Amino acid sequence: MVAVKRVPITGGKMVLTDDAQAIQTRHLGFTISPHEECGVEEAVRIVEAQGGEVVVLTLGPAEAEDQIRECMALGADRGIHLLTDEEWDAQATASALADAIRAEEPFDLILFGNESADASGFQVGIRVAYALGLPVVTGVKAIAAADGRARLEQEVPGGRDVYDVPLPALVTVKEGLNLPRYPSVPAKLRAKNKPVETKPVTRPESRLEKVRLVVPEGQGKQAEILGNGPDAAPAVVEVMQKLGVA
């Protein structure tokens, strides 16, 4: 199973609503997070190699079915849509997703994106794992599943940590885990006919309060003129040597 979230395609600078509670989406399209796209691709590859079924789970408005269909075009077999028009906090979202997963058990591997592309809360996957009593590894950049266990690699400064966990398990993955395929036209057409189960859900009373969103300051861009014409050659060589490419 792969959990995905409908998020705005920001592309450039993020603009918040006047109350700083959400990203301004008036002129934006929607997609799933790059981390989650890699999660879908990885699940499809595992099923192609070992058999099984890829199920996509999402919580969101009616329009979120578009994102489920996108995942189906990548190779997912069916979808579960928890239908709501309200915005849910991480705790409530995790509770609803955990209930949906329990109703569908058993799954060998449950994949989440490491964080969503809009709020970047880093919470839901871990909360779901805790609710289900499953082992969880976050920030994973390599997965090898076989014989009831999974070998997971997590990038750390200076190398990688490697985890060996029993299945079922929950894993949050990062962009770069793989290179997602580009769905073909026939795959998009097949996706239109794959089953999506829609389950209306009611948001519980929130136990968390979102104060506001903040757009982080960018690092900015700087340009340094190394010289003109042939006079710039020594400076270019020096820069390349510092970068280790000369």
Side-chain angles (χ1 to χ4, degrees):
M1 172 173 276
V2 187
V4 302
K5 181 182 180 183
R6 174 182 168 89
V7 296
I9 303 174
T10 54
K13 182 179 179 181
M14 289 188 180
V15 178
L16 302 182
T17 55
D18 292 339
D19 60 2
Q21 293 295 304
I23 295 174
Q24 179 59 259
T25 61
R26 185 182 306 164
H27 304 295
L28 300 178
F30 288 84
T31 185
I32 62 173
S33 301
H35 303 309
E36 295 165 354
E37 188 177 7
C38 288
V40 174
E41 173 67 27
E42 193 68 17
V44 171
R45 292 186 185 188
I46 291 172
V47 166
E48 287 176 342
Q50 303 182 26
E53 179 185 44
V54 178
V55 180
V56 175
L57 172 64
T58 195
L59 170 76
E63 294 82 3
E65 184 177 331
D66 294 341
Q67 280 63 57
I68 295 179
R69 298 291 177 190
E70 291 173 11
C71 295
M72 289 175 165
L74 293 174
D77 298 292
R78 61 185 177 95
I80 300 172
H81 184 186
L82 305 182
L83 181 62
T84 178
D85 288 326
E86 298 181 283
E87 184 174 349
W88 294 39
D89 60 48
Q91 186 177 48
T93 299
S95 177
L97 296 182
D99 288 343
I101 293 170
R102 287 192 193 96
E104 292 285 326
E105 285 181 326
F107 286 103
D108 296 311
L109 189 62
I110 303 170
L111 301 179
F112 276 70
N114 199 55
E115 77 270 11
S116 65
D118 51 1
S120 296
F122 295 86
Q123 296 186 47
V124 175
I126 297 172
R127 286 178 178 272
V128 170
Y130 181 81
L132 298 176
L134 295 177
V136 58
V137 181
T138 61
V140 168
K141 295 293 286 285
I143 299 175
D147 302 323
R149 303 192 70 85
R151 184 182 186 274
L152 310 168
E153 296 183 17
Q154 179 189 76
E155 283 190 349
V156 296
R160 290 195 173 198
D161 285 341
V162 179
Y163 298 85
D164 180 73
V165 299
L167 299 177
L170 190 148
V171 178
T172 74
V173 302
K174 298 187 72 173
E175 185 179 8
L177 169 68
N178 53 49
L179 181 62
R181 69 195 70 189
Y182 186 82
S184 64
V185 172
K188 292 180 180 179
L189 294 175
R190 289 193 298 269
K192 294 181 179 180
N193 297 318
K194 291 182 179 181
V196 175
E197 182 180 5
T198 301
K199 300 180 179 181
V201 290
T202 302
R203 186 186 69 180
E205 183 178 352
S206 180
R207 297 167 58 188
L208 298 175
E209 179 186 359
K210 178 169 66 176
V211 178
R212 62 191 176 98
L213 297 179
V214 176
V215 177
E217 294 184 6
Q219 295 181 350
K221 298 181 180 179
Q222 295 182 342
E224 180 182 355
I225 298 176
L226 299 178
N228 296 313
D231 295 337
V236 171
V237 172
E238 183 180 352
V239 171
M240 294 178 68
Q241 290 175 336
K242 290 180 180 179
L243 296 175
V245 295

